[in-house]
Structure formats: structure tokens, C-alpha cells
Amino acid sequence: MKEITLMKTKLFKKIMAPLVVACALLPMVAATAPLQGTWEMQITRTDCAGHVLSSFPSVAIFMEGGTMIESQAGTPQALKTPGEGVWRHTNDHNYAFRFKFFTFNTSNVFTGWVIIAGETTVDRTGDAHAGSATIQVYNPSGVLVATACADIAGTRFEL
């Protein structure tokens, strides 16, 4: 009888040990929530010397596989396309992204494009992130005509 009890105890420990370790690691896994998902953002555009040029809301969707789409209220939608681009995990809770949108004037004439590249850090909750970006404005011939910077802050958009 003692042998059976001893065998049951050993079997119980053998099964439970990995489960206890997995449960202990669960908060660590949840704390490294990826950038993937939909985010409500606040963009603060500056002249790169700290002077605020404008501030506006944005929505960014970071999709599985490293693609993204962005839409912002800084430019009327009739004057630009949605931003389309890529993102990747760099290390820890840090990510890099880059996207591009095309611009038009009020007569619907193509005026060039904008490329925004940045880095952001997702907080330990996985529900907020903050970072910075550079903004490059090109004319239709591909000549860089203006640059700016931006501070970004986002919160996860959920049901």
C-alpha cells in the first residue's frame, strides 16, 4: 500500500511540476504583449527642435506577419491615401515601423508622398505604447522637400 501511495505521489509531482512552472511564467508571457492589434494613437508633430506644429488622433493596425495600415486626422482623407507599411519586433518590448501614404491637392492632383518611420515601446500591460518617428515629405519627382518629427502615444483599441 505504501508503494502505491509513493508511486501516486511521484506521479502527481511529475505532472504538477511543469504545470506550476507554466502558471508562474504566464504573467511574464502576458507582459510581453506584442504590438499586433489595433491602436488609438495621439500624434504630436514637431519641427524636430521640440516646437509643436500640430497634434491629432490616428488609428494604426499592426497585423500578423509584419504589415500595417494607418489612418490619421492630421490631413483630410480626401487629400491622402491610408498609410500602408511594415513593422517588426526589435527587442524586449520595442518595435520599429515604417509606412507611406500618397498626397493630393484639392483638385485631386498627385502632390507626392510621405514616409513615416519610427520606434515604439509597448508597456508591461500590453495596452499602451509610446515612441517617436521621423516624417519625410517628397514631391512627385521623389525629391525630399520637408522633414519633421513626431511623438506618438497609443492605447489598445478593444471591444
Side-chain angles (χ1 to χ4, degrees):
M1 192 67 136
K2 284 186 180 181
E3 281 184 39
I4 293 174
T5 304
L6 185 60
M7 287 175 44
K8 285 182 180 179
T9 303
K10 285 182 180 179
L11 182 60
F12 180 77
K13 287 181 180 178
K14 195 175 209 175
I15 293 170
M16 290 305 293
L19 290 175
V20 169
V21 170
C23 289
L25 292 175
L26 190 58
M28 291 172 55
V29 172
T32 59
L35 187 61
Q36 183 178 323
T38 302
W39 296 85
E40 291 186 282
M41 312 272 290
Q42 186 62 39
I43 312 301
T44 303
R45 192 169 42 202
T46 70
D47 62 2
C48 298
H51 302 102
V52 173
L53 302 174
S54 63
S55 185
F56 50 87
S58 170
V59 173
I61 303 170
F62 296 90
M63 294 170 274
E64 184 176 356
T67 58
M68 68 171 292
I69 190 164
E70 169 277 346
S71 185
Q72 46 93 355
T75 303
Q77 294 299 294
L79 301 180
K80 68 177 279 305
T81 63
E84 299 163 323
V86 294
W87 68 277
R88 69 178 170 85
H89 177 248
T90 55
N91 60 40
D92 297 326
H93 300 275
N94 303 309
Y95 298 84
F97 62 90
R98 186 169 187 249
F99 64 92
K100 177 179 184 175
F101 60 84
F102 297 102
T103 58
F104 303 86
N105 65 20
T106 56
S107 298
N108 204 28
V109 174
F110 175 63
T111 58
W113 62 87
V114 176
I115 295 177
I116 298 174
E119 296 179 348
T120 194
T121 301
V122 176
D123 75 0
R124 291 239 174 248
T125 70
D127 292 329
H129 73 87
S132 61
T134 57
I135 302 164
Q136 297 178 315
V137 180
Y138 295 86
N139 70 15
S141 299
V143 176
L144 179 65
V145 295
T147 60
C149 295
D151 293 320
I152 61 172
T155 55
R156 197 172 290 280
F157 186 73
E158 296 180 302
L159 284 175

